[in-house]
Structures are given as structure tokens and as C-alpha cells.
């Protein structure tokens, strides 16, 4: 199910109705606390579910972190590759294994 703006508004108004109903049933400080918790927790859960669908389910577990990385998908399995500016060899690491130069350019 794809979440759209319409789904988000329906979800928001349903949570508003639930929180108003709980405020009528519960005494003052508890009802207000529950209503604030609903308005904070439910949208976070909705966003987490939506972001999990955008990632295709990748990393949707509890230890997946927040978001999908700085520029999109997490690239934890891929390491950066470098090319030597002196001899042109592409390698992984800080210094060139062929000529020992540390003048490199990164390839992502």
C-alpha cells in the first residue's frame, strides 16, 4: 500500500479523534499525556513504515538506523575505491600498492 498525502491526513484525523476520545475518558493530566504521545509516536511509526517501503524493505529491522544514509541507500558493504594520480591504478586503501604514492582521487 502506497502512502499518499490523503492517507496521511486520514491517519492524522483518526489519531486526533482517538486522542480527543481518550481525553474525555481519562482525567486531565493523563489524558493530555496520552494525546501528546499519540501525536508524537503515531506519525513516527507511519514515517518509518513509509521509508521502509521506499527502501524496498532493505534495512527495515530495528537496528537499521535512521533514514537511508546521507545520499540515499546505505553503502555499508561497498568501500570507497581510489585511483592513483601518478600511475592510474584503481585500488582500495590509502596508498598505491604499485608506486606507494598517497596522491589519490576517490571513486564512489
Amino acid at each position: 500500500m502506497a502512502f499518499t498525502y490523503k492517507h496521511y491526513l486520514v491517519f492524522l484525523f483518526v489519531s486526533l479523534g482517538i486522542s480527543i476520545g481518550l481525553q474525555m475518558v481519562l482525567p486531565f493530566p493523563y489524558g493530555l499525556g496520552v494525546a501528546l504521545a499519540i501525536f508524537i509516536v503515531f506519525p513516527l511509526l507511519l514515517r518509518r513504515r513509509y521509508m521502509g517501503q521506499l527502501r524496498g524493505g532493505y534495512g527495515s529491522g530495528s537496528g537499521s538506523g535512521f533514514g537511508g544514509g546521507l545520499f540515499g541507500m546505505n553503502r555499508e558493504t561497498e568501500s570507497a575505491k581510489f585511483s592513483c594520480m601518478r600511475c592510474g591504478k584503481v585500488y582500495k586503501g590509502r596508498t598505491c600498492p604499485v608506486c606507494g604514492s598517497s596522491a589519490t582521487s576517490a571513486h564512489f
Side-chain angles (χ1 to χ4, degrees):
M1 177 176 144
F3 288 105
T4 61
Y5 184 68
K6 180 181 174 184
H7 288 116
Y8 187 76
L9 285 178
V10 167
F11 184 80
L12 189 69
F13 284 116
V14 166
S15 65
L16 177 69
I18 290 171
S19 65
I20 289 174
L22 286 175
Q23 282 183 351
M24 289 181 173
V25 173
L26 297 174
F28 169 67
Y30 303 115
L32 183 63
V34 170
L36 288 175
I38 287 174
F39 268 171
I40 292 172
V41 172
F42 280 175
L44 289 176
L45 293 175
L46 184 68
R47 286 185 192 116
R48 173 180 255 177
R49 186 173 171 190
Y50 178 67
M51 291 303 292
Q53 285 183 354
L54 284 179
R55 287 189 301 249
Y58 174 76
S60 61
S62 62
S64 66
F66 206 87
L70 185 61
F71 296 109
M73 298 295 287
N74 283 330
R75 290 186 174 190
E76 293 175 1
T77 57
E78 296 180 23
S79 62
K81 294 181 181 178
F82 301 95
S83 65
C84 180
M85 295 179 80
R86 185 182 291 173
C87 67
K89 176 158 176 63
V90 176
Y91 59 93
K92 296 179 184 178
R94 272 189 90 83
T95 59
C96 179
V98 175
C99 64
S101 174
S102 61
T104 61
S105 63
H107 295 277
F108 295 102

